[in-house]
Amino acid sequence: VPCSVCYTANRPAVLMIPGKYTCPTGWNTEYYGYLMTAHYGHESQTLYSCMDAGLEVIPGTGVYNEGLFFYNVEIASHASLCPPYDCSGEELTCVVCSK
C-alpha cells in the first residue's frame, strides 16, 4: 500500500475524523476513505489509518505476505458511538481535513 503524508504549507493543521466523509465547515478535504487497522487478533494492532477511497497501486509491485495486513473497521449495531454514527454494521468511513 503506498503511503502518503499530508503536508500543506498554508494549512498547518491536519486531522483525521473517523465515522465521517466530509470535513467541518471551514476545513478543507484532503481525502476521504475507510478506517482500517490490523486484525484484532494480531499482536501488532496499534493504530488506525484512514485509507483513501481512491487508493492507487504502485505499478510493478507484487504481493508481499510478510508484513502487516489492513482490515476495515466495522461498527457493531450495539456500539456506544450511536448516534450520530451509522451503526448498520458496515465499514467505518473517515476523512482527512486541513485548515
Side-chain angles (χ1 to χ4, degrees), residues 64-84:
Y64 180 72
N65 291 324
E66 303 299 322
L68 177 68
F69 292 94
F70 285 98
Y71 294 86
N72 289 85
V73 174
E74 295 180 357
I75 190 163
S77 59
H78 62 279
S80 61
L81 294 175
C82 305

Side-chain angles (χ1 to χ4, degrees), residues 3-98:
C3 183
S4 69
V5 175
C6 287
Y7 171 75
T8 54
N10 298 321
R11 298 187 304 256
V14 177
L15 67 105
M16 187 270 290
I17 306 172
K20 299 287 185 178
Y21 56 88
T22 58
C23 294
T25 303
W27 287 78
N28 299 291
T29 300
E30 297 300 327
Y31 66 90
Y32 66 91
Y34 295 95
L35 196 63
M36 301 186 88
T37 191
H39 190 272
Y40 64 86
H42 294 173
E43 291 181 29
S44 60
Q45 180 189 13
T46 54
L47 300 175
Y48 292 90
S49 299
C50 186
M51 297 292 195
D52 193 336
L55 187 67
E56 298 177 6
V57 298
I58 299 173
T61 59
V63 176
Y64 180 72
N65 291 324
E66 303 299 322
L68 177 68
F69 292 94
F70 285 98
Y71 294 86
N72 289 85
V73 174
E74 295 180 357
I75 190 163
S77 59
H78 62 279
S80 61
L81 294 175
C82 305
Y85 298 99
D86 176 15
C87 295
S88 60
E90 296 185 20
E91 288 84 14
L92 198 59
T93 59
C94 55
V95 62
V96 174
C97 309
S98 65

